[in-house]
Amino acid sequence: MYLHYELKTVPSTRQDEAIARLHHLHSLMAQTPGFLDAQIGMYLGKPDQYVVTRRFVDAAAHYAYRASDAAKEFGAQRVVGLYENQAVQEWEQGLETVGDTTGNFLALTSFTVDVARWQEFLDQRKLHDATGVQLGGIVNFRTYRRIEKDGSPTTDVMVLGRRDGREAFNRFIQSGEMEAWRKGLPVGLFTSTGMGFYEIVDEVLPA
């Protein structure tokens, strides 16, 4: 699966307007074959920063939307100063683990992983994610690696962990099961490069 990722800054006085416009954009995308879902997450450490994710079955489905009349009409109605992109990236999904609850607390963690060890990393993530589901409070875990425009993989890896609240995150990272998982990791499998917490404030599913 393909993920289009954007990191945006939004003026504090125009946040509702920005969310409404992005919701409209995602509603147009939802009418495109191959669209899976889109979320807007507000950064809990800085209220003018948002992460926007859009999933399609593949890159071709996303490009098909961008070539559509609906996309061109939306672009022609651009609102100046509403938001500014800090990053625009393409990612491929390697793993999704689904839990049994609902919620809008999102932890975004980033890593670097050698391309040759991608499958090994995913194997370890399966164990990690299964532990999380067992402990409860998990909506889903989705693991991605960033790709270049030509589709070639990079060493950048991102995991989006959606939970029913911060309490579930705290319970997980402090658990004995998580400590055992850490101790069992192969040496040098990955380097952690960052973490941030978001609240999903808007979501669009297929029409």
Side-chain angles (χ1 to χ4, degrees):
M1 296 178 188
Y2 169 87
L3 179 80
H4 186 83
Y5 167 98
E6 294 178 352
L7 184 66
K8 296 178 179 290
T9 52
V10 179
S12 58
T13 57
R14 305 186 71 180
Q15 295 191 24
D16 288 347
E17 183 185 359
I19 292 170
R21 179 165 171 80
L22 288 168
H23 177 87
H24 176 56
L25 169 62
H26 296 159
S27 297
L28 296 175
M29 290 181 174
Q31 301 172 41
T32 303
F35 173 86
L36 296 174
D37 53 51
Q39 291 86 28
I40 303 170
M42 180 180 68
Y43 184 41
L44 296 178
K46 191 177 181 184
D48 67 343
Q49 182 173 303
Y50 288 78
V51 63
V52 180
T53 59
R54 302 162 184 141
R55 285 198 314 157
F56 291 80
V57 293
D58 54 28
H62 178 243
Y63 297 147
Y65 165 75
R66 294 184 64 178
S68 68
D69 291 340
K72 294 174 183 177
E73 181 178 351
F74 180 87
Q77 300 169 356
R78 181 175 180 270
V79 181
V80 176
L82 186 55
Y83 40 70
E84 182 177 346
N85 286 331
Q86 302 300 316
V88 178
Q89 298 169 344
E90 297 178 283
W91 299 73
E92 65 175 2
Q93 182 175 304
L95 177 66
E96 180 176 26
T97 302
V98 178
D100 58 2
T101 190
T102 59
N104 293 314
F105 179 80
L106 185 70
L108 186 160
T109 50
S110 56
F111 310 88
T112 56
V113 178
D114 190 286
V115 171
R117 303 188 74 178
W118 172 236
Q119 186 57 54
E120 186 181 1
F121 179 81
L122 292 180
D123 291 341
Q124 289 297 324
R125 288 302 307 187
K126 289 177 185 177
L127 298 175
H128 170 284
D129 296 359
T131 299
V133 172
Q134 180 182 1
L135 291 172
I138 303 301
V139 180
N140 55 55
F141 289 111
R142 292 172 179 168
T143 301
Y144 303 92
R145 65 175 171 179
R146 189 174 62 81
I147 54 176
E148 303 287 7
K149 288 294 184 182
D150 62 2
S152 58
T154 72
T155 60
D156 295 332
V157 171
M158 173 176 67
V159 176
L160 301 179
R162 186 170 178 176
R163 295 172 168 86
D164 61 9
R166 176 64 185 261
E167 295 80 7
F169 176 84
N170 290 345
R171 181 170 64 248
F172 178 61
I173 63 172
Q174 297 177 77
S175 68
E177 292 89 341
M178 183 61 176
E179 180 63 21
W181 177 80
R182 291 191 194 99
K183 289 181 178 178
L185 285 169
V187 175
L189 179 59
F190 60 82
T191 300
S192 297
T193 55
M195 174 178 288
F197 299 123
Y198 295 81
E199 178 187 359
I200 296 174
V201 295
D202 192 75
E203 182 171 34
V204 173
L205 300 175

